[in-house]
Amino acid sequence: MNKKQKNLLIRIIIAAIFFVPLYLISEDIVHTNIPKVVVFIMFLIPYLLVGYDILRKAFLGIKNGQVFDENFLMTVATIGAIVLGEYGEGVAVMLLYQVGELFQSYAVGKSRRNITELMDIRPDYANIEADGELEQVDPDEVEVGSIIVVNPGEKIPLDGVIVEGTSALNTSALTGESKPQDVGVEDEVLSGSINMTGQLKIRTTTEFDESTASKILDLVENAASRKSKSENFISKFAKYYTPIVCYAALALAILPPLFCMLTKIGMDHYATVGALWGDWVLRACTFLVISCPCAVVISIPLSFFAGLGGASNQGILVKGSNYLETLSEVKVVAFDKTGTITKGNFAVTAVHHSPVDEKKLLEYAAMAEAHSSHPISRSLQSAHGKKTDQTRVTDIKEISGHGVTVKIDGVDVAVGNEKLMKMLGVKHIDCHHVGTIVHVAVDGAYCGHIVISDELKETSKQAMSELRRAGVEKTVMLTGDAESVAKKVAEEVGLTDYRAELLPADKVNCVEEFLPQCSGSKNLAFVGDGINDAPVLSRADIGTAMGALGSDAAIEAADVVLMDDDPMKISKAIKISRKCLRIVKQNIAFALAVKVICLLLAAVGIANMWIAIIADVGVMILAVLNAIRCLFVKKL
């Protein structure tokens, strides 16, 4: 709880301590000689203690010309009850109303904490060189033009230009390019890239507030400005509903007693004219309490905000409740390939060998390529899994566009593509696998080949299955890769369709092709991760940027950001949105049904102030509790 919530809780507890015993003995007080004004003051203490802020807001609303809101309704109803001598009911209404407000405030606060805690994954320090030593500082303190040091394995915290050092950067989440990017002095680097090899000194060109993570946080915290259709309906509903019920209550307080006085009908039920007016005014006050639209006005936005918070707690950032509502109606999902369905990095996926065994073939290839910083070389080193002894390698000859020849322990080894094999006169075997094929020859004899390709993410296949279970009718992949690669990936993960060899503009055209299939309440979502995906992310009904290190362009264009590169989160996002929409509809139906019934009961004099409290505050608390369920989505 924050300070404001704690203060409200303390006020509620103190007011309850005053009020409950007082209300229990109120019937006995009536029969004592205690002056009525003293009883009034005794009830006024807990009333003002718990409700002074509501009274103040109502006064300010009247002063500013914004009269008709829940604060005005509660103020008029409770003051009316107290004026009519119903002290206990008046205080109880205000007390329980504030309990409902506390529930609502807590739910909103919890959602905000979920969003804020999620952003702890962003780069949270920058290395500054001071007195020959590196000092970690808050990136927010680094000024534009400062020199920062980024060691291997660290994220680049700020955009900048390299002033010293060379390295390879993992930029797959930024550009959609699966190969590491070699950089050196005067090259520009983006925050969010991962430094893979050498130490870099970078002159910063942006402040931390302009970094990717900061922009994401800002977008999510301002998501409330992007309202769903349901929220817009409720806003318009409350705008007209509140004045109508105020005038209806006024009519209920005046017209029936006037009618009775003029026609003498029903006058025999009242001892005096004052009792007649008191009865109908109390009915009008009860009518006002019941009519307060808090349950609907508070619970609907809260349901969406809780849905946003629950999604963020699962690593799914949704920029607004309108996008959450759109997600619930997704029937077609289009994917980029690199970094979305695949990992976006090269790895050894197959070894075909003879006569040497697999380990020996990998050792030859890894040792021959050990001197290189090329991504293929790093994949071979990783697959070999052992540190190579470069003293065993001599006569290194790199042949551009072909490969490399070396001597390992005095044995001639050639490692490269089919062009190298043809150049050396070695008869090689073509591979039917999709990927980069590295052929190996030893002493002029062909020994096999190694397949290096972009690996599928472990959850990609399951993600497509979950999307089908979630009611998605079509999953399609849009990629710039070759037809053979695209076909293989589509078949492996279970996509219903694919398009290959596409430029960014071609992807937009493909989305345009699929959009007519999403008529009515059906929507199309596109999932991508790079700068080249920004145009199509904007064109889709719902654009989803994949990756905690997604590019600024992709994140700006997307409506949803998945923070951990897991395609399983797409189906989870759809399920969260649908759960949220179900809760919204439940709250609307329940709140309005109870209010209509109780308003009719109040008008005919059956419902008293306690029923009014249940109809207003009770329904609001139940609706808020129901809305909070949107926060708990782990089992979806």
Side-chain angles (χ1 to χ4, degrees), residues 104-261:
Q104 179 255 346
S105 177
Y106 176 77
V108 171
K110 185 171 179 59
S111 299
R112 288 191 180 279
R113 285 194 298 276
N114 287 339
I115 293 170
T116 303
E117 288 169 5
L118 181 67
M119 301 315 298
D120 288 342
I121 65 172
R122 70 189 186 277
D124 54 6
Y125 69 88
N127 297 317
I128 299 291
E129 199 166 17
D131 299 326
E133 295 184 358
L134 291 183
E135 178 185 351
Q136 290 187 354
V137 299
D138 191 325
D140 209 22
E141 298 174 3
V142 179
E143 297 180 355
V144 173
S146 300
I147 304 298
I148 60 173
V149 178
V150 183
N151 292 314
E154 292 182 331
K155 296 175 186 175
I156 297 176
L158 301 156
D159 294 352
V161 176
I162 297 174
V163 295
E164 183 180 320
T166 59
S167 182
L169 301 182
N170 181 350
T171 63
S172 58
L174 299 176
T175 65
E177 175 58 57
S178 58
K179 296 180 181 178
Q181 176 186 353
D182 293 325
V183 293
V185 176
E186 297 301 320
D187 286 338
E188 292 186 6
V189 291
L190 299 175
S191 59
S193 301
I194 299 176
N195 184 19
M196 297 176 64
T197 54
Q199 187 185 76
L200 296 175
K201 291 188 178 181
I202 301 169
R203 183 177 67 253
T204 61
T205 56
T206 64
E207 295 181 349
F208 185 67
D209 287 344
E210 296 301 313
S211 68
T212 300
S214 296
K215 286 184 178 180
I216 292 174
L217 183 58
D218 181 65
L219 286 168
V220 176
E221 288 189 333
N222 290 292
S225 63
R226 301 179 181 92
K227 292 187 176 182
S228 65
K229 294 176 184 177
S230 300
E231 287 179 290
N232 286 325
F233 164 74
I234 292 303
S235 297
K236 291 178 181 178
F237 170 80
K239 181 180 179 181
Y240 295 104
Y241 168 83
T242 309
I244 289 172
V245 295
C246 285
Y247 291 127
L250 184 63
L252 188 63
I254 296 174
L255 297 182
L258 280 178
F259 176 79
C260 291
M261 289 177 63

Side-chain angles (χ1 to χ4, degrees), residues 314-316 318 327-328 330 332-336 339-341 457 459-460 462-464 466-468 470 472 475 495 525-528 542-547 560-578:
Q314 298 297 307
I316 304 164
V318 185
L327 259 178
S328 68
V330 166
V332 178
V333 181
F335 295 89
D336 175 42
T340 303
I341 295 175
K457 290 182 179 178
T459 58
S460 290
Q462 186 183 354
M464 303 309 150
E466 286 297 318
L467 283 172
R468 288 192 292 272
V472 173
T475 53
L495 294 163
F526 178 80
V527 186
I542 189 89
T544 303
M546 176 77 74
V560 178
V561 179
L562 307 180
M563 296 298 290
D564 64 356
D565 287 340
D566 186 357
M568 285 289 291
K569 292 293 176 68
I570 303 160
S571 60
K572 179 165 279 191
I574 293 173
K575 290 175 183 177
I576 290 170
S577 66
R578 289 176 181 171

Side-chain angles (χ1 to χ4, degrees), residues 246-525:
C246 285
Y247 291 127
L250 184 63
L252 188 63
I254 296 174
L255 297 182
L258 280 178
F259 176 79
C260 291
M261 289 177 63
L262 293 174
T263 63
K264 304 300 182 183
I265 296 175
M267 286 297 295
D268 53 330
H269 294 293
Y270 300 100
T272 63
V273 172
L276 168 69
W277 283 94
D279 178 41
W280 284 99
V281 169
L282 186 59
R283 289 191 195 187
C285 290
T286 304
F287 188 91
L288 279 179
V289 173
I290 294 171
S291 67
C292 187
C294 297
V296 177
V297 173
I298 291 174
S299 70
I300 305 314
L302 178 59
S303 297
F304 281 109
F305 197 83
L308 294 175
S312 71
N313 198 36
Q314 298 297 307
I316 304 164
L317 302 183
V318 185
K319 291 184 182 178
S321 52
N322 54 332
Y323 302 123
L324 201 64
E325 194 168 50
T326 303
L327 259 178
S328 68
E329 298 173 340
V330 166
K331 294 298 180 182
V332 178
V333 181
F335 295 89
D336 175 42
K337 181 185 78 69
T338 305
T340 303
I341 295 175
T342 63
K343 292 181 178 179
N345 61 293
F346 286 107
V348 172
T349 53
V351 180
H352 301 150
H353 52 90
S354 179
V356 300
D357 64 18
E358 178 178 326
K359 290 183 179 178
K360 194 65 177 178
L361 193 72
L362 281 171
E363 181 183 11
Y364 279 143
M367 293 186 72
E369 291 278 0
H371 68 286
S372 174
S373 61
H374 194 276
I376 298 297
S377 172
R378 285 190 286 271
S379 301
L380 292 170
Q381 307 302 319
S382 176
H384 176 46
K386 297 178 182 178
K387 189 174 182 180
T388 57
D389 182 1
Q390 285 298 288
T391 62
R392 297 168 56 193
V393 183
T394 58
D395 295 347
I396 302 170
K397 294 178 183 178
E398 188 163 354
I399 304 169
S400 180
H402 290 68
V404 61
T405 62
V406 300
K407 281 186 180 292
I408 300 176
D409 298 330
V411 177
D412 290 324
V413 177
V415 177
N417 55 26
E418 60 182 24
K419 293 179 183 178
L420 180 63
M421 297 296 107
K422 289 177 181 179
M423 187 183 77
L424 297 175
V426 177
K427 187 177 181 180
H428 67 282
I429 300 173
D430 290 325
C431 185
H432 67 279
H433 282 60
V434 176
T436 301
I437 311 301
V438 179
H439 298 278
V440 181
V442 179
D443 281 337
Y446 189 69
C447 292
H449 53 256
I450 300 166
V451 183
I452 298 176
S453 58
D454 190 3
E455 294 179 289
L456 287 176
K457 290 182 179 178
E458 290 82 357
T459 58
S460 290
K461 188 173 182 179
Q462 186 183 354
M464 303 309 150
S465 176
E466 286 297 318
L467 283 172
R468 288 192 292 272
R469 288 180 58 191
V472 173
E473 298 170 358
K474 188 167 189 172
T475 53
V476 58
M477 181 176 68
L478 310 178
T479 178
D481 277 346
E483 173 77 17
S484 59
V485 175
K487 183 179 180 180
K488 179 175 180 288
V489 170
E491 289 175 350
E492 286 188 8
V493 301
L495 294 163
T496 56
D497 198 0
Y498 71 90
R499 300 287 189 275
E501 300 177 11
L502 302 175
L503 296 173
D506 298 327
K507 292 183 180 181
V508 176
N509 293 334
C510 285
V511 167
E512 296 276 5
E513 175 189 334
F514 291 119
L515 280 173
Q517 301 176 23
C518 301
S519 57
S521 61
K522 297 181 180 180
N523 291 321
L524 181 146

Side-chain angles (χ1 to χ4, degrees), residues 541-556:
D541 292 319
I542 189 89
T544 303
M546 176 77 74
L549 300 179
S551 71
D552 283 355
I555 291 168
E556 288 287 350

